[in-house]
């Protein structure tokens, strides 16, 4: 379900995890790109020394490299310009969104750049030039990268999140020799996201509770049978937020005494854990429809990541104007408040696979 990072640490759990992973089909982890299944390393590939790259990554988290800062500034200015143009002719122009809504984002690894671009537009377009509200986003739910990115944006806000992700592209290029093999690239990103998860829990410990009941992370756990577990409360106590953040998007992670795995596994074929309470319409972003190469799932190329953010910005603008997915692939859809979404839950996990297919049929793009 597809941030798909390999496990790091907790070596004492390795035998149990290996057995569980081997015996439990429901928690098998694979890339969501059809036909792509790659083995994930339990420890650093032989000969891979990470001391230097780890130290640089921690430096980048505290002080992003200038290249990442400059790219982030360009993307921010671009989002401001696009939304300005959206309202330029008519500040009261009708948009495809209005009122209160929730957002659900699928898994998709580093395709999360697409959602970053969408989020940059949505955040700005929600307020019209006269200060009035065009729409209001109340909750986010997501699996894997689709849970991680909204979590990061809510906790660290846009600039820090954007700079961190672009910094990882800079890091990957600076240490390109370490990222040559797919196995090493997967291991390193998982390893570094664990470092970032701990860092952000510690750095933002006092504001983690601001995410409560606003951010819903989907986890695939043994409870004792495979089940979709939603996490919507966060704390630095016992590193709970770190474990929840990693459990939605990694290979294997312990959370609340359960063996858990990438949340996309139990969120249906679209990896979209829709809310079940029919409180609001749900804007659904399917990261797997970006059209970008499958290798991007586990590798960050700065130029590629930057370009996909721009694509997300452009397509969000067009969708707001028309209510229709620009490429006709349902990368962005709106699920009506009264749609039958039974079993695609971030709130009441049951009966996922069939229900997600049904929800996909019942929640087509809505016209303005």
């Amino acid at each position: 379900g597809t941030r798909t990072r390999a496990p790091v640490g907790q070596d004492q759990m390795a035998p149990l995890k290996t057995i569980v992973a081997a015996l439990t089909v429901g928690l098998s982890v694979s890339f969501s790109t059809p036909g792509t299944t790659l083995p994930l390393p339990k420890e650093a590939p032989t000969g891979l020394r990470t001391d230097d790259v780890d130290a640089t990554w921690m430096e980048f988290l505290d002080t992003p490299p200038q290249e990442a800062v400059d790219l982030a500034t360009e993307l921010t200015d671009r989002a401001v310009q696009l939304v300005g143009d959206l309202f330029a002719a008519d500040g009261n122009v009708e948009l495809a969104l209005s009122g209160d809504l929730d957002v659900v984002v699928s898994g998709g690894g580093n395709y999360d750049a697409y959602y970053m671009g969408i989020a940059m537009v949505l955040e700005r377009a929600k307020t019209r030039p006269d200060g009035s509200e065009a729409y209001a986003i109340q909750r986010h739910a997501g699996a894997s990268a689709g849970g991680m990115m909204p979590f990061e944006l809510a906790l660290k806000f846009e600039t820090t999140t954007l700079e961190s992700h672009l910094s990882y592209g800079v890091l990957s290029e600076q240490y390109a020799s370490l990222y040559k093999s797919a196995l090493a690239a997967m291991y390193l990103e998982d390893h570094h996201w664990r470092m970032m998860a701990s860092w952000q829990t510690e750095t933002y410990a006092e504001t983690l509770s601001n995410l409560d009941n606003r951010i819903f992370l989907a986890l695939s756990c043994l409870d004792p049978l495979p089940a979709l577990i939603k996490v919507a409360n966060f704390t630095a106590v016992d590193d709970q937020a770190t474990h929840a953040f990693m459990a939605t998007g990694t290979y294997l992670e312990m959370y609340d005494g359960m063996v858990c795995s990438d949340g996309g596994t139990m969120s249906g074929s679209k990896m979209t854990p829709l809310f079940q309470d029919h409180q609001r319409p749900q804007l659904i972003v399917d990261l797997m429809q970006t059209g970008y190469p499958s290798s991007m799932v586990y590798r960050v190329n700065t130029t590629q990541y930057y370009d996909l953010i721009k694509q997300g910005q452009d397509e969000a603008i067009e969708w707001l104007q028309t209510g229709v997915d620009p490429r006709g692939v349902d990368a962005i859809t709106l699920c009506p408040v009264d749609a039958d979404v039974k079993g695609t839950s971030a709130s009441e996990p049951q009966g996922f696979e069939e229900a997600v297919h049904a929800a996909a049929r019942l929640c087509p793009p809505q016209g303005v």
Side-chain angles (χ1 to χ4, degrees), residues 3-314:
R3 173 62 73 177
T4 319
R5 297 173 165 59
V8 180
Q10 296 186 348
D11 291 336
Q12 68 274 18
M13 296 297 296
L16 170 61
K17 290 181 176 181
T18 300
I19 293 170
V20 169
L23 296 179
T24 309
V25 175
L27 288 182
S28 64
V29 177
S30 64
F31 287 96
S32 300
T33 305
T36 304
T37 302
L38 296 175
L40 296 173
K42 299 181 183 63
E43 55 189 20
T46 303
L48 184 64
R49 300 292 299 273
T50 67
D51 292 353
D52 289 346
V53 68
D54 290 354
T56 303
W57 177 229
M58 292 307 297
E59 291 173 9
F60 282 2
L61 288 174
D62 288 321
T63 308
Q66 193 60 46
E67 180 182 351
V69 172
D70 291 345
L71 291 173
T73 300
E74 290 175 17
L75 289 164
T76 302
D77 292 344
R78 189 175 191 273
V80 170
Q81 183 65 51
L82 286 170
V83 174
D85 292 344
L86 176 67
F87 291 122
D90 180 5
N92 293 313
V93 63
E94 188 174 10
L95 301 179
L97 293 178
S98 62
D100 290 344
L101 65 139
D102 297 321
V103 175
V104 180
V105 188
S106 80
N110 294 310
Y111 296 151
D112 58 7
Y114 182 68
Y115 176 68
M116 171 63 83
I118 292 173
M120 294 177 77
V121 166
L122 293 179
E123 175 62 25
R124 290 164 176 80
K126 69 182 183 182
T127 305
R128 296 181 181 275
D130 65 2
S132 64
E133 181 181 274
Y135 54 84
I137 298 172
Q138 300 298 332
R139 301 178 297 184
H140 291 80
S144 194
M148 287 176 157
M149 181 64 86
F151 180 100
E152 289 184 68
L153 287 168
L155 181 65
K156 300 180 292 189
F157 302 114
E158 181 182 283
T159 299
T160 298
T161 303
L162 182 58
E163 289 178 351
S164 291
H165 282 255
L166 291 167
S167 293
Y168 200 72
V170 176
L171 186 84
S172 301
E173 289 153 18
Q174 188 171 326
Y175 293 88
S177 62
L178 300 180
Y179 288 82
K180 284 183 178 179
S181 75
L183 202 63
M186 285 187 286
Y187 169 81
L188 285 168
E189 187 166 356
D190 181 274
H191 174 58
H192 291 139
W193 247 241
R194 290 176 184 274
M195 293 171 65
M196 183 181 74
S198 296
W199 172 83
Q200 68 191 18
T201 295
E202 180 178 354
T203 304
Y204 297 90
E206 297 303 314
T207 55
L208 277 165
S209 62
N210 292 344
L211 278 58
D212 290 355
N213 299 311
R214 292 175 51 222
I215 301 296
F216 290 72
L217 299 181
L219 282 57
S220 302
C221 300
L222 294 179
D223 187 34
L225 296 177
L228 177 63
I229 303 296
K230 59 94 175 176
V231 181
N233 296 91
F234 305 96
T235 176
V237 176
D238 297 327
D239 227 15
Q240 178 265 352
T242 301
H243 293 299
F245 179 82
M246 287 308 304
T248 193
T250 193
Y251 177 46
L252 287 174
E253 174 78 9
M254 294 301 296
Y255 178 78
D256 197 22
M258 297 176 288
V259 177
C260 299
S261 178
D262 192 295
T265 306
M266 292 301 294
S267 295
S269 62
K270 289 289 186 180
M271 300 183 291
T272 49
L274 302 181
F275 291 101
Q276 297 296 288
D277 52 17
H278 300 283
Q279 287 196 23
R280 307 171 189 91
Q282 301 182 64
L283 184 70
I284 305 171
V285 179
D286 186 350
L287 299 182
M288 299 309 294
Q289 301 303 321
T290 65
Y292 272 59
S294 59
S295 60
M296 187 177 176
V297 170
Y298 55 86
R299 274 197 179 93
V300 180
N301 172 285
T302 308
T303 301
Q304 204 173 43
Y305 203 84
Y306 178 91
D307 288 345
L308 186 51
I309 292 174
K310 290 199 298 183
Q311 179 177 315
Q313 292 178 346
D314 291 340

